[in-house]
Amino acid sequence: MKQSEIIELFPTYILKFKFEKHDQYVDKWDNWEQCGRQPKSWQCEVNTSYPQVQQDDPYAPMDIVEELKEDLKFQVKKLHKSYGLHTNVAFQNFWYNAYYKGQGQEWHDHLPQYGLAPIWSGVYFAKNCFPGQFAFQNPDMFSMRTQGPLNVRNSMLRKYYDDNYISKFVDGDVVLFPPHLQHCVKVDEHQNVTDQRLTFSFNIDSIESLEFQKRLGV
């Protein structure tokens, strides 16, 4: 029908960019031991420093981590400026996740149990990251289940009903996404057998919001 059209409503977007100083950091991260060091509430085994990298961290030197945070923050601010967004931002949380074969993380989001949601959640793909290991879930998938049966398999509407977006993120990529967006990690049995997959995850908020929550004791 010539008079028909598809109108896309309320899209969910993410921002992706290349970390300009990636080459300066990639050789600073050694292969760490494979272990399950994660909060009890997490279902999958991973070596993580969540919710922060601490001064006495056994794997990541704090001086390098602090330098990395400053360089990433500088580029996020520059990205914000290019999109006409405010640049008064800071990290709320910053942690690493180190995976070997068969390891991963279940579907989850970065919404806080208490306090205000951050502006962004993000991931820096630091080393030995392969396409297809990181996936986002369609935030509308549950609401679409309230619609009656509609066979979209071979139709032009199929992409709007796809549950997951399998990413092609590789080393040096940084992605910013709304904290409500569900995502997961799955490392294939044939990947990261000897060389660990390393990422740094974070939440970013405005300095005003962080100071307000600090005053409230959140």
Side-chain angles (χ1 to χ4, degrees), residues 24 67-69 79 96 111 120 146 172-173 203 206-207 212 216:
Q24 298 180 25
E67 184 180 354
L68 173 63
K69 289 171 65 175
L79 182 72
Y96 62 72
L111 291 175
W120 294 113
T146 62
D173 286 341
N203 293 317
S206 69
I207 292 178
F212 175 72
L216 293 179

Side-chain angles (χ1 to χ4, degrees), residues 39-155:
K40 292 181 179 179
S41 60
W42 292 20
Q43 299 174 18
C44 298
E45 182 180 275
V46 60
N47 182 357
T48 180
S49 65
Y50 178 85
Q52 303 281 6
V53 183
Q54 301 294 337
Q55 286 288 344
D56 59 348
D57 188 87
Y59 301 101
M62 198 61 192
D63 57 336
I64 299 177
V65 171
E66 290 294 344
E67 184 180 354
L68 173 63
K69 289 171 65 175
E70 287 302 311
D71 288 335
L72 282 172
K73 184 170 65 174
F74 176 82
Q75 197 165 348
V76 169
K77 287 183 175 183
K78 187 165 69 171
L79 182 72
H80 266 216
K81 186 175 181 179
S82 70
Y83 280 102
L85 302 169
H86 69 82
T87 59
N88 193 25
V89 297
F91 287 111
Q92 185 182 63
N93 308 91
F94 193 92
W95 68 96
Y96 62 72
N97 294 315
Y99 311 80
Y100 281 94
K101 67 173 185 176
Q103 293 187 315
Q105 278 188 281
E106 65 274 13
W107 288 107
H108 66 285
D109 59 46
H110 287 191
L111 291 175
Q113 185 175 3
Y114 305 104
L116 303 175
I119 294 173
W120 294 113
S121 292
V123 178
Y124 162 46
F125 297 84
K127 195 170 185 179
N128 300 318
C129 300
F130 298 100
Q133 293 180 332
F134 189 95
F136 284 111
Q137 193 171 70
N138 183 351
D140 294 324
M141 64 176 296
F142 295 107
S143 62
M144 285 179 175
R145 290 175 181 171
T146 62
Q147 181 181 11
L150 183 65
N151 185 2
V152 298
R153 183 182 300 276
N154 298 314
S155 79

Side-chain angles (χ1 to χ4, degrees), residues 168-185:
K168 298 180 180 179
F169 304 140
V170 294
D171 293 2
D173 286 341
V174 181
V175 60
L176 304 179
F177 53 92
H180 76 276
L181 202 55
Q182 292 267 330
H183 54 286
C184 75
V185 178

